[in-house]
Amino acid sequence: MRTTGTTARGIRAPMIRPGDELAAIVADSVLAACENEGFVLRDRDVVGVTEAVAARAQGNFATAAQIAADIRAKFPAGELAVLFPILSRNRFGNLLKGIAAGCKKLTIVLSYPSDEVGNQLIGWDAIDAAGINPYTDVLDEKRYRALFGYDNKHPFTGLDYAEYYKSFGRHIRLLFANDPRAVLDYTKHVLCCDIHTRHRTKRILRAAGAETVFGLDDILTAPVEDPQRAGSGSGWNAQYGLLGSNKATADSVKLFPRDCDMLVVDIQRRLFERTGKTVEVMVYGDGAFKDPAGGIWELADPVVSPAYTAGLDGTPNELKIKYLLDNELAGKSAAETLAAMKDAISHKAADPGDRALGTTPRRFTDLLGSLCDLMSGSGDKGTPIVLVSGYFDNYADT
């Protein structure tokens, strides 16, 4: 009987640059790790590739000036509201720089007490003490400061995000609200900057009479020229636009990668040709988990995995070993319990009913993407590739 189940290894790779053939680099790096560390690939092992190196290899970057050009094209009136942006220098600072440069009048509406992924603007105790109902009350900056002052700093960055976002231009006005319709008292032209609630927000605004409604997923859906630099076509993403972008330099962002379906299939093909093993491959971004101390939900990307091979579609079908031990197998001997457990797992039904009680049916790609994100991190580990072995094994496998 095998004595290990799922194992995950961070795979070190060369520094990825724009134009590099990423599929070849991934395959070479995985196989070099197998040889150097003395392990082998198995059928249904999973190779995860972080979206950061996928986008970098594509050269999928855009400048603030290119963002500004698309904003001017989409909002020709020269005024708009930025609705419900997340509180992040990395995720939104350079986007706001471009948006602010692309208009003459800008209203920023911040959701409170926190943004949609849990970055706190104000504590709930302060909200309760002020007698404010965040679901109905709309605050301008003057009332916000009178109620809450200047001591509300982000617990990790130490920033006052209201002050930080206001610093991007003298033409910026701040509001604090959670009903998207509140912005229509100030402008009918809105850029929805929420991530996972964006479709609902757009629907509500259009139904309430907004004249122009776009989301971050509608900006840079095609290459855009910097008006000051001929031939300077930007990066782009037809499906997600600016969603999933990160700060690259002081004046540019790296967009979420595009066309990754071809990449994962290419990596899978290369590994099969060299090993005879069918390995599943996925591109992953943020994991879908929440930090218990800061209350921040990690998923600031539009999806955990923008592309994956067909074998990663679906959700697990697992039995709950604890449930079986406490119920059907209670009172049996150790040998009887082991044999019965293996038999139950080997012959489990497509719908196991109560036998699966407590096993949340999350998608394979969300579970594996979260595992890969925790393994690789976003700092200096130097492992943008993760190899997961034995994930599809179970206790009955030998």
Side-chain angles (χ1 to χ4, degrees), residues 103-104 134-135 137 371:
C103 64
K104 300 174 182 177
Y135 303 105
D137 291 342
L371 172 60

Side-chain angles (χ1 to χ4, degrees), residues 96-280:
L96 182 56
K97 184 176 184 179
I99 294 165
C103 64
K104 300 174 182 177
K105 186 176 181 181
L106 179 60
T107 301
I108 300 177
V109 184
L110 299 177
S111 55
Y112 73 99
S114 63
D115 66 16
E116 69 171 297
V117 296
N119 290 292
Q120 185 174 286
L121 191 66
I122 315 162
W124 272 108
D125 289 342
I127 292 285
D128 294 340
I132 294 297
N133 183 346
Y135 303 105
T136 58
D137 291 342
V138 179
L139 312 177
D140 60 16
E141 186 179 4
K142 182 177 180 180
R143 189 178 181 207
Y144 170 81
R145 292 303 185 188
L147 288 170
F148 305 114
Y150 288 84
D151 294 329
N152 292 292
K153 311 293 186 182
H154 190 279
F156 295 149
T157 66
L159 280 181
D160 178 332
Y161 273 96
E163 183 177 50
Y164 174 59
Y165 283 178
K166 182 75 177 292
S167 72
F168 281 84
R170 299 181 65 181
H171 60 313
I172 294 175
R173 165 176 54 194
L174 293 180
L175 294 175
F176 304 82
N178 289 298
D179 186 339
R181 294 168 293 192
V183 74
L184 299 180
D185 291 336
Y186 300 86
T187 180
K188 305 295 185 184
H189 310 287
V190 185
L191 178 66
C192 301
C193 295
D194 45 347
I195 305 164
H196 307 291
T197 56
R198 64 189 185 277
H199 299 299
R200 176 177 181 266
T201 302
K202 291 178 185 180
R203 172 177 56 78
I204 290 172
L205 287 170
R206 289 174 179 135
E211 296 176 15
T212 310
V213 179
F214 290 105
L216 286 180
D217 54 334
D218 300 308
I219 308 299
L220 293 193
T221 54
V224 172
E225 292 281 324
D226 180 340
Q228 304 300 320
R229 297 168 54 212
S232 61
S234 70
W236 54 280
N237 188 304
Q239 183 175 7
Y240 296 119
L242 288 176
L243 286 180
S245 59
N246 286 274
K247 182 176 181 177
T249 70
D251 196 49
S252 68
V253 295
K254 174 193 63 60
L255 276 64
F256 214 44
R258 59 180 187 270
D259 303 328
C260 289
D261 290 330
M262 296 181 288
L263 173 66
V264 296
V265 170
D266 192 9
I267 295 170
Q268 184 182 59
R269 176 187 60 80
R270 289 170 184 269
L271 289 172
F272 180 80
E273 288 175 350
R274 295 171 67 176
T275 68
K277 303 298 181 182
T278 300
V279 174
E280 306 298 343

Side-chain angles (χ1 to χ4, degrees), residues 23 33 46 79 193 211 213 221 266 288 303-304 327 346 351 359 363 395:
V46 179
E79 70 168 77
C193 295
E211 296 176 15
V213 179
T221 54
D266 192 9
V303 291
V304 173
N327 291 273
S346 297
D351 181 5
T359 56
R363 294 179 296 184
Y395 194 68

Side-chain angles (χ1 to χ4, degrees), residues 10-38:
I11 306 297
R12 288 188 173 158
M15 298 294 103
I16 310 300
R17 299 164 297 177
D20 282 349
E21 190 173 5
L22 185 58
I25 291 173
V26 171
D28 289 346
S29 298
V30 169
L31 294 177
C34 288
E35 182 178 353
N36 292 338
E37 303 293 337

Side-chain angles (χ1 to χ4, degrees), residues 7-16 25-37 39 41 46-50 53 284 372 375-376 381-389:
T7 60
R9 296 176 171 92
I11 306 297
R12 288 188 173 158
M15 298 294 103
I16 310 300
I25 291 173
V26 171
D28 289 346
S29 298
V30 169
L31 294 177
C34 288
E35 182 178 353
N36 292 338
E37 303 293 337
F39 57 88
L41 287 183
V46 179
V47 172
V49 182
T50 180
V53 296
Y284 66 91
C372 289
M375 282 295 299
S376 62
K381 295 182 183 299
T383 56
I385 305 161
V386 176
L387 174 63
V388 181
S389 301

